[in-house]
Amino acid sequence: MEISYSWLKDILPTVELTPDGISERLASRGAPVEISGATGIETEGVVVGRVKSVRKHPNADRLSICEVDNGHEILQVICGAPVIHEGGHYPFAGVGMELPNGMKLKKAKIRGEFSNGMLCSEKELGLGPDEGGIMLLAESTSPGQALGEVLEGKEILFDVEITPNRGDWLSHVGLARELTHTGPCDIVLPQIPGSPEFNVETKRGDREVEHQGVSIRIESPDVCPRFLGVIVEGVTVRASPDWLAKRLRSIGQQSINNIVDATNYVMFEMGNPMHAFDLDKIKGNEIVIRNAKPEEKILALDGIEHELTNQMLVVCDRENPQSLAGVIGGMDSSVTEDTERIFLECALFDPKVVRKTAKSLGVSTDASYRFERGVDPEGHMSAVERVLEVILAVAGGEISGPIMEVTPHPHTPKLIDLRTARVESVLGITFEKEELEKILLTLGIGIEGSTEEVISASIPSFRSYDITREIDLIEEIARVYGYDQFPDTLNSYLPSSVPDDPFFRLEEDIRKIFVASGIHEAINPAFANATEGVIEILNPISSEESHLRKNLIHGLLKNLEYNLARSTRDIRLFEIGTVFIETEKALNKQGRESTHVASVLTGLATPPHWSEDSQDSVDFWTLKGIVVKLMRICGWKSVSFESKKHGAGKWVQSGYVEIISGDQVIGSFGQISPEHFESPKWVGEVWALEVSLPERAPDKQDVQFQAFPQYPSVDRDLACLLDLGVSAKEVTEKIRSVGGDLLSEVSIFDVYEGSEIPEHKRSLGVRMRYQSFERTLTDVEVDRSVDKIIRSLLEDLNVQQRL
């Protein structure tokens, strides 16, 4: 943002300011500055030209033939700008001039007519960004007068880098607050030349206000918590006086007319965007703030007809939208030279709504830039009074009636307790209570009460967006005190013996499982598109990153595609990261954040090695082996696996396995369907898993040493014939429950279905190991346990021994 040095000096008349001092102070407080000159390009040879007459070009619809008085002679000039009018004063560059952009002017024949020079825009003269219109000069200038005299030389400018959280810096007054040593009391608004004294009352309402047939009604109070309007009658719309036009040009703004310039002047001075409507063009004398209707349209001041959606906020009359709230005004109610009555608007709009509207329509304005970052919710009344002061001075007229204010949601000041001990703990420096209070007061932060331990701070409205917690106040103290004032030597300290958070240790243990299997870790951003996420981001970077991801699989599949495109056949990736899930209890659709681990595998199950001739590819059992290890290390209890058919929205091919702990589904794994990723034809099976981690890491059991047994073990194999509905888990759990203390291990070594096995049955081979640490076991006691197991399986699960 460009800030004028002279404007700052006028606002802070009692503060000694130098350009270098301002630059250094703002930079030390978090706003880097570059010093430059706004009108640094020389305009030698360019003079004031007065247009004596204007007529259409006979051979071109968009061109005009002007007679221009350059102070010495009358010249014919062809111009393409539609805003030229008779009697207007504009910068004129004659034949032989070379403009700052390198263009050298020659006498030219355009569509059969000669042009002797040109009327120039700010862009062509290097004086500002505008290139769509000719630069209008004040009527008090004289033909032939050097443009340099009119502009009064160079203006020192500060190009300030504004951080997104500091919307209060988007004005001269906002930055002046950072330059004072005693607080806002140093700030004085410059005197407006010719401003009359006036008193104006205020008429308030919570949803609607009406005065003398003109009404304001808010139908969308959640996104428009405050709206002020006032009527001024008898204005004369014309070119702005020199002081106003020069002030705006000094910061690169084009002068349009005295009414629009007045609203822009106050916006750049105080930070509150405003808009002026031609009241005679407002149908029904009604101002309605509502959401747009689907397919409703508005012809904006940029000359483009925009189609609206019901997510956009508009300011309407009785029939149609007249302004895109916080973004841009409408052409139908714009102020022109024929305007005599104006309705001034100064409002507070929700930053998210303004941001979405501006982004979806591709329109960015000075107003939307400020609303997106947060406008002072209590600064509207002073801004309206200020713009009335300017308008009455430059356009005349009278204020008709009171300032009408509709406030469905009044602003409530925030109170934050600041603990002096906490300041010392965070910053490492001891501050006296009085010193802390002085720092806060210089920032405009009020002191509601204090003790030696706690200061109760009242946050001013212009800082209500970014100071919300105690730590924010501490940051302000550090910023004002000066980061360069902190000692650059470290005090003595003892290394901490506090262990890492148990959850971090759990994540590290999980990494070890994957890395030990030759699986590489991937790290993907948490952003996704609308199909891959359900939680919408307030200010997305792009449409492809407009939501927060709901799983890790989609990101890993993109990594897979990237590697496949580079002819990598064996891909083993995993990721540990957060996902964001929408829940019924989620407030404002913020959802719930949880940590997941996911993996995508294809090709060989483990990295190839010279010591092995052949290796197996990734399959179902590869994933299940990893899952079993994860369940053990995460501490999930009563884990079971349930086969599912391919469901809607699932990324698996034909079926998948749900991982269940108790009555909670904590993950799934299966084979990826080729339709969910782009791959060459040579790609084999792709498998994936995703598991939710517990909210708390399980308590780690102390490692207990146990010597190897000195006595041999005894193995017994049991062939079980069981119904297809009976799971292997049920069989092994039953064996463990009745096998006794001597049974040390149960494992499955075979599963068979087919010939010699009855229909709807299968054979399960179970190996049972018996062992004692005290003696050698006998066949009698082992057989006794096996017989008990066989009887229990038959009685409880209808499992028969297969002989």
Side-chain angles (χ1 to χ4, degrees), residues 243-278:
W243 72 266
L244 180 54
K246 291 175 184 176
R247 185 68 98 185
L248 292 176
R249 279 200 300 268
S250 72
I251 56 173
Q253 298 297 313
Q254 181 189 15
S255 175
I256 299 174
N257 60 52
N258 51 0
I259 299 298
V260 176
D261 289 356
T263 59
N264 287 338
Y265 174 88
V266 176
M267 178 178 66
F268 287 107
E269 182 179 65
M270 304 181 68
N272 290 81
M274 280 175 280
H275 184 67
F277 299 88
D278 187 329

Side-chain angles (χ1 to χ4, degrees), residues 204-484:
R204 295 182 171 87
D206 58 354
R207 290 295 180 90
E208 185 174 3
V209 167
E210 186 271 339
H211 180 75
Q212 293 183 356
V214 178
S215 65
I216 302 173
R217 184 173 72 256
I218 297 179
E219 295 183 356
S220 301
D222 291 339
V223 290
C224 180
R226 194 177 190 193
F227 191 99
L228 279 72
V230 63
I231 300 169
V232 183
E233 297 184 339
V235 298
T236 302
V237 180
R238 55 176 179 261
S240 295
D242 288 349
W243 72 266
L244 180 54
K246 291 175 184 176
R247 185 68 98 185
L248 292 176
R249 279 200 300 268
S250 72
I251 56 173
Q253 298 297 313
Q254 181 189 15
S255 175
I256 299 174
N257 60 52
N258 51 0
I259 299 298
V260 176
D261 289 356
T263 59
N264 287 338
Y265 174 88
V266 176
M267 178 178 66
F268 287 107
E269 182 179 65
M270 304 181 68
N272 290 81
M274 280 175 280
H275 184 67
F277 299 88
D278 187 329
L279 187 58
D280 291 326
K281 298 176 183 177
I282 300 296
K283 297 178 181 178
N285 284 338
E286 292 183 9
I287 303 294
V288 183
I289 302 90
R290 60 170 173 82
N291 285 79
K293 300 173 183 178
E295 299 182 359
E296 207 166 23
K297 296 181 180 180
I298 181 174
L299 179 61
L301 290 174
D302 58 5
I304 300 174
E305 186 177 59
H306 299 283
E307 185 171 330
L308 312 180
T309 69
N310 58 3
Q311 301 298 315
M312 301 175 182
L313 189 68
V314 289
V315 180
C316 308
D317 58 17
R318 179 180 292 176
E319 298 179 5
N320 301 308
Q322 298 298 332
S323 170
L324 281 168
V327 181
I328 192 170
M331 190 72 76
D332 293 342
S333 59
S334 61
V335 173
T336 65
E337 294 180 353
D338 298 327
T339 299
E340 296 181 353
R341 297 197 308 155
I342 61 172
F343 178 85
L344 284 169
E345 163 217 310
C346 186
L348 181 64
F349 302 119
D350 183 84
K352 298 187 292 295
V353 173
V354 175
R355 185 183 303 117
K356 287 182 180 179
T357 301
K359 192 161 189 174
S360 61
L361 297 179
V363 179
S364 180
T365 62
D366 289 315
S368 67
Y369 187 76
R370 284 158 177 77
F371 277 116
E372 289 172 13
R373 285 152 180 79
V375 171
D376 182 0
E378 287 293 326
H380 298 80
M381 187 60 69
S382 57
V384 169
E385 293 174 350
R386 180 66 167 171
V387 79
L388 287 175
E389 183 182 0
V390 178
I391 286 177
L392 294 180
V394 302
E398 295 182 352
I399 302 172
S400 177
I403 297 174
M404 294 177 282
E405 179 181 9
V406 185
T407 313
H409 297 301
H411 173 72
T412 303
K414 298 178 182 177
L415 289 177
I416 300 177
D417 288 339
L418 176 66
R419 296 167 291 173
T420 55
R422 180 61 176 164
V423 177
E424 181 179 355
S425 173
V426 173
L427 301 182
I429 297 178
T430 302
F431 289 90
E432 297 293 333
K433 180 177 71 71
E434 292 73 16
E435 187 178 4
L436 294 176
E437 291 179 351
K438 181 180 178 181
I439 291 175
L440 296 178
L441 289 172
T442 60
L443 294 170
I445 298 173
I447 307 299
E448 293 295 317
S450 65
T451 65
E452 290 298 326
E453 293 78 22
V454 179
I455 299 173
S456 181
S458 176
I459 310 304
S461 57
F462 57 84
R463 296 300 303 276
S464 60
Y465 294 95
D466 70 309
I467 300 181
T468 59
R469 304 167 298 168
E470 182 187 41
I471 194 65
D472 297 329
L473 286 174
I474 296 175
E475 181 185 6
E476 291 299 299
I477 292 167
R479 195 171 61 87
V480 174
Y481 179 76
Y483 295 115
D484 57 340

Side-chain angles (χ1 to χ4, degrees), residues 560 563-564 566-572 602-604 682-684:
L560 177 80
N563 284 275
L564 291 176
R566 286 151 181 80
S567 301
T568 303
R569 292 178 178 271
D570 304 323
I571 302 171
R572 297 173 294 274
T602 187
L604 296 179
W682 47 260
V683 176

